[in-house]
């Protein structure tokens, strides 16, 4: 596992972690120390993050110095030494903390999708509800600046957080401004408070130490969140959805976002989550923007793509007291660095499910599990060139699935 991580996952992106992981794979003592952790916590990303956390906390100074000097051999020796001397501390951190991927590169995908949801409903204000929010960095989607490869931009050009995404395909990404955001609510089993020193350090520890651009952007993102922290609700996403909706003003459109989190839930819980959205829509319009692996988000069309194909489907579902309107509006790769927009413009209040949705009992909120499990192929989009898809790195969830 560690050799594969070093030679495949970290190769060309993190020379430090490539060297450290390969060294660990060649050390029987190090591998035996890692076995002290539960099986699900032995993955290189977890153990290396725990070691990095100790280095950042000043508890592993030799490792911190090697990382700062970008000295792969010294880092490998120091990582193994720290692992052997501080096995209990490494395991305790790994068990207590889930790894986090918090950069708001995903905002390049979320911004046009949220703006499109608001346009279709005719909303002038929105309340954002990010399920699986971690630190809630994506709740600042309207406060960052996003530049697309064609020279167009969205968001705040003066923001300290700037990112870019390259369009794929012939359809332009709509340059529609997002309405005013009047509520920012995050839901997570273990939300991260960026104003807490330990929590903030863990976010830094989950980044690879020889990627300074990602580190700098995370610092800017955390500073942005700290200026106006969102409301973070701790607990089960399905159970907390009603509470989150209640905190969005009645005249605003609640927009629920899920980005690479539904794969962590069993199918039964994904269906329960969707039923919660449907129940909330009994009294108001609700939108759901999903960015998930192919086939992960129930009801979102797969466009004929294969699961574990290395990209994600951007889905949009609008519930408005009638049949839900569901569409795959795009594809994305590499944490949003590449984006293919596929959506046509819906007329406002038009039902895209038609009789099919009514026949399934959706209008009455009694959709069967078979309906929610199905990928309702309401719309197809242009294919992505095979050479591009083959050349881009898969999304985190897809990489994890392949390793298993």
């Amino acid at each position: 596992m560690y050799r594969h991580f070093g030679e495949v996952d970290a190769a060309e992106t993190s020379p430090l972690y490539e060297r450290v992981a390969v060294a660990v794979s060649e050390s029987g003592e190090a591998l035996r120390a890692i076995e002290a952790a539960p099986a699900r916590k032995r993955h290189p990303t977890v153990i290396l993050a725990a070691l990095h956390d100790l280095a950042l906390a000043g508890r592993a100074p030799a490792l911190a110095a090697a990382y700062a000097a970008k000295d792969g051999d010294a880092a490998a020796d120091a990582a193994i030494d720290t692992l052997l001397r501080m096995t209990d501390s490494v395991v305790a951190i790994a068990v207590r903390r889930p790894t986090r991927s918090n950069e708001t590169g995903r905002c390049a995908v979320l911004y046009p999708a949220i703006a499109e949801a608001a346009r279709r409903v005719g909303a002038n204000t929105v309340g954002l509800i990010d399920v699986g929010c971690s630190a809630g960095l994506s709740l600042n989607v309207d406060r960052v600046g996003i530049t697309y490869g064609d020279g167009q931009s969205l968001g705040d050009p003066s923001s300290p957080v700037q990112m870019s995404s390259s369009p794929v395909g012939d359809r332009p990404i709509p340059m529609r401004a997002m309405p005013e955001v009047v509520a920012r609510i995050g839901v997570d089993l273990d939300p991260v408070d960026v104003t807490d020193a330990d929590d903030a350090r863990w976010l830094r520890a989950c980044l690879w130490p020889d990627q300074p651009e990602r580190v700098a952007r995370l610092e800017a993102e955390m500073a942005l969140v700290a200026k106006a922290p969102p409301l973070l609700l701790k607990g089960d996403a399905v159970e907390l959805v009603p509470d989150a909706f209640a905190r969005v003003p009645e005249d605003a459109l609640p927009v629920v976002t899920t980005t690479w989190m539904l794969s962590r839930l069993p199918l039964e819980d994904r269906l329960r989550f969707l039923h919660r959205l449907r129940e909330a829509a009994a009294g108001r319009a609700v939108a759901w923007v999903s960015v998930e692996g192919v086939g992960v988000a129930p009801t979102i069309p797969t466009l004929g793509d294969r699961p574990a194909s290395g990209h994600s489907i951007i889905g949009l579902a609008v519930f408005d007291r009638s049949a839900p309107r569901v569409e795959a509006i795009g594809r994305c790769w590499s944490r949003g660095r590449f984006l293919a927009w596929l959506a046509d413009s819906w007329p406002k209040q038009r039902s895209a499910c038609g009789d099919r949705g009514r026949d399934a009992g959706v209008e009455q909120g009694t959709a069967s599990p078979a309906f929610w499990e199905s990928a309702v192929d309401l719309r197809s989009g242009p294919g992505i060139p095979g050479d591009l898809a083959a050349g881009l790195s898969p999304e985190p969830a897809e990489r994890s699935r392949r390793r298993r």
Side-chain angles (χ1 to χ4, degrees):
M1 181 193 303
Y2 277 77
R3 179 173 292 278
H4 181 273
F5 177 84
E7 295 180 346
V8 177
D9 294 346
E12 299 183 2
T13 59
S14 177
L16 278 178
Y17 272 5
E18 178 182 6
R19 180 69 187 92
V20 170
V22 171
V24 169
S25 75
E26 296 172 347
S27 169
E29 287 184 303
L31 293 176
R32 284 191 292 274
I34 292 169
E35 289 178 357
R40 71 183 189 282
K41 292 291 189 174
R42 297 173 189 168
H43 192 273
T45 56
V46 180
I47 298 300
L48 292 176
L51 288 167
H52 194 191
D53 186 74
L54 291 173
L56 293 173
R59 299 173 63 190
L63 182 58
Y67 282 166
K70 296 182 171 57
D71 186 333
D73 291 336
D77 291 341
I80 292 174
D81 178 68
T82 302
L83 183 56
L84 297 181
R85 288 188 303 101
M86 306 180 69
T87 302
D88 290 346
S89 296
V90 173
V91 170
I93 295 170
V95 170
R96 186 175 77 254
R97 297 280 198 179
T99 53
R100 302 290 188 174
S101 176
N102 292 282
E103 307 112 305
T104 48
R106 65 193 70 189
C107 288
V109 176
L110 290 175
Y111 192 111
I114 295 170
E116 178 66 10
R119 187 199 67 81
R120 294 183 180 191
V121 176
N124 295 318
T125 56
V126 297
L128 302 181
I129 302 172
D130 187 17
V131 177
C133 67
S134 183
L137 304 185
S138 293
L139 290 167
N140 277 325
V141 57
D142 60 319
R143 294 172 173 167
V144 305
I146 309 164
T147 301
Y148 295 90
D150 53 9
Q152 295 180 303
S153 62
L154 290 170
D156 182 358
S158 64
S159 172
V161 179
Q162 295 292 320
M163 63 194 62
S164 62
S165 181
S166 297
V168 175
D170 297 330
R171 293 193 184 181
I173 299 168
M175 294 293 110
R176 184 176 299 108
M178 187 186 303
E180 179 187 2
V181 178
V182 296
R184 303 173 198 270
I185 304 160
V187 180
D188 200 288
L189 280 173
D190 186 22
V192 176
D193 179 2
V194 300
T195 65
D196 178 85
D198 290 342
D199 281 2
R201 187 181 66 246
W202 178 245
L203 291 183
R204 298 182 183 101
C206 290
L207 296 183
W208 297 1
D210 50 354
Q211 297 181 338
E213 290 184 1
R214 293 178 66 190
V215 173
R217 191 168 73 180
L218 176 63
E219 295 294 339
E221 291 167 354
M222 291 196 296
L224 192 63
V225 171
K227 288 182 179 179
L231 173 64
L232 300 180
L233 304 180
K234 181 176 182 177
D236 178 79
V238 176
E239 298 305 321
L240 287 176
V241 163
D243 187 14
F245 278 118
R247 297 169 185 264
V248 177
E250 285 294 331
D251 57 351
L253 170 69
V255 180
V256 178
T257 61
T258 60
T259 53
W260 302 296
M261 67 78 58
L262 289 180
S263 60
R264 300 179 233 156
L265 302 180
L267 178 59
E268 178 183 357
D269 286 347
R270 297 182 218 174
L271 303 182
R272 288 174 55 228
F273 168 69
L274 289 179
H275 280 299
R276 290 291 195 189
L277 300 185
R278 187 69 187 93
E279 290 170 356
R284 67 196 302 184
V286 172
W288 170 40
V289 172
S290 64
V291 187
E292 305 284 352
V294 178
V296 172
T299 78
I300 301 299
T302 64
L303 305 175
D305 300 346
R306 292 178 293 104
S309 55
H311 66 274
S312 297
I313 298 290
I314 307 164
L316 173 58
V318 175
F319 305 81
D320 57 358
R321 302 184 181 91
S322 61
R325 295 167 285 162
V326 184
E327 184 180 356
I329 61 174
R331 297 181 176 96
C332 69
W333 296 259
S334 300
R335 302 174 186 258
R337 290 194 296 117
F338 297 87
L339 169 61
W341 189 262
L342 306 178
D344 291 329
S345 294
W346 283 353
K348 294 179 183 178
Q349 305 302 322
R350 172 187 169 192
S351 172
C353 283
D355 293 336
R356 185 172 182 178
R358 288 192 290 273
D359 291 343
V362 177
E363 283 196 330
Q364 290 74 35
T366 58
S368 68
F371 173 80
W372 292 119
E373 290 180 43
S374 67
V376 186
D377 287 325
L378 303 173
R379 188 177 302 279
S380 61
I384 301 302
D387 56 344
L388 175 60
L392 300 180
S393 62
E395 299 293 357
E398 304 302 342
R399 289 198 297 267
S400 176
R401 188 179 295 112
R402 290 180 182 182
R403 282 194 293 267
R404 290 196 297 268

